[in-house]
Amino acid sequence: MRAAIVVALLAVCAVAVKIPAHPTTQSSGLSLAEIQKFNALKETNMGRIIIGLAELHLKGDAPIKRLIKGLEDFVEELNQGIASENAAFETKRASHQATIQALNTRIGEAKAEIASRQSRINAVLTPRLNQAQSEIERDSELINQKRAALVEAANNREHEHNSYLERVNEHNEAITAIDEALPLLNLSLIH
C-alpha cells in the first residue's frame, strides 16, 4: 500500500514540478481534485521532501526516471525497516505474552495454594483451635478447682495443725500435772 502511495506521489511530483507555487486549474492543466491532492501533499513533511527532490532533480536536468528509481529504492528501504520493526515488535509482543502467561500461571498457582491453605485452616486447624480453646477452658476451670481445693486443704491442714498443737499442749500439761502429782502421791503413800 505504501509503495502505491509513493508511486502516486511520484506521479504527482513529476507533474508538480511544472505546477506554479499557487496552481490553478487553468495555469497547471490539472483538475481541481489533483490540485487539492498536490496542496495536501505539500502540507506533509514527506510530501515537501519529495516535491523538493523532484524540483531539484528537474532543475539539474536529470531524468525523472532516476528520481523515481531512487524513491522506489527509498520505499523499499522503508518497507524493510517496517518489516524489521514489525519483527522486533512481534518478538517483544511474544516475550510480553510469555511473561503475562507466566505471571498468570504463578497467580493461578498462588490462588490455588491460598485456597488449599484456607481449606486446611478450615478443615484441620480451626477445629483444632476450637478443641484447644475448649481444653484450655476446661484445664483453666480444673486449675481453679484445684487451687480452691488447695486453699481449702491448706486451711484444713492449718486447722488440724492448730488442733494437734492444742492436743500436744493438753497432753504436755497432763503429763506435767501427772509428773507433779506422782511425787505427791508417793509421799502420801509413805506417810
Side-chain angles (χ1 to χ4, degrees):
M1 168 117 178
R2 285 183 179 239
I5 292 172
V6 170
V7 171
L9 285 174
L10 291 175
V12 170
C13 288
V15 175
V17 178
K18 299 174 188 172
I19 298 175
H22 302 288
T24 63
T25 54
Q26 294 171 354
S27 66
S28 66
L30 296 176
S31 71
L32 183 60
E34 290 171 331
I35 291 173
Q36 288 173 344
K37 284 181 185 178
F38 178 74
N39 288 334
L41 179 65
K42 285 170 57 177
E43 296 294 319
T44 66
N45 287 335
M46 189 56 75
R48 282 192 296 271
I49 290 171
I50 292 172
I51 290 172
L53 283 172
E55 288 174 349
L56 249 153
H57 209 73
L58 288 175
K59 284 180 184 175
D61 290 330
I64 198 77
K65 287 184 179 182
R66 243 169 76 195
L67 175 62
I68 291 173
K69 175 66 175 143
L71 288 173
E72 286 173 344
D73 291 345
F74 180 62
V75 167
E76 183 60 32
E77 286 178 27
L78 289 176
N79 285 336
Q80 288 174 359
I82 289 171
S84 175
E85 290 290 323
N86 283 341
F89 174 77
E90 287 301 320
T91 301
K92 286 181 182 179
R93 188 170 68 108
S95 173
H96 176 72
Q97 290 297 332
T99 301
I100 288 173
Q101 183 66 30
L103 290 174
N104 284 336
T105 299
R106 289 174 60 192
I107 288 169
E109 290 170 352
K111 285 181 178 179
E113 182 67 22
I114 289 169
S116 172
R117 289 184 181 192
Q118 187 63 47
S119 176
R120 181 163 188 251
I121 287 170
N122 293 339
V124 177
L125 298 178
T126 300
R128 282 188 184 173
L129 176 64
N130 293 338
Q131 180 184 4
Q133 286 174 335
S134 295
E135 290 173 3
I136 289 170
E137 289 173 8
R138 187 179 65 239
D139 290 347
S140 293
E141 182 62 34
L142 184 61
I143 288 170
N144 289 338
Q145 290 173 0
K146 296 297 180 186
R147 282 185 179 157
L150 182 62
V151 168
E152 185 179 341
N155 288 340
N156 287 342
R157 178 69 182 127
E158 188 173 336
H159 179 67
E160 288 173 0
H161 182 67
N162 289 337
S163 294
Y164 165 76
L165 291 176
E166 285 179 19
R167 283 193 307 274
V168 167
N169 194 24
E170 287 175 5
H171 286 128
N172 285 338
E173 286 177 4
I175 291 172
T176 304
I178 290 173
D179 284 343
E180 288 176 1
L182 277 178
L184 291 175
L185 281 175
N186 280 335
L187 275 174
S188 64
L189 280 178
I190 305 182
H191 301 300

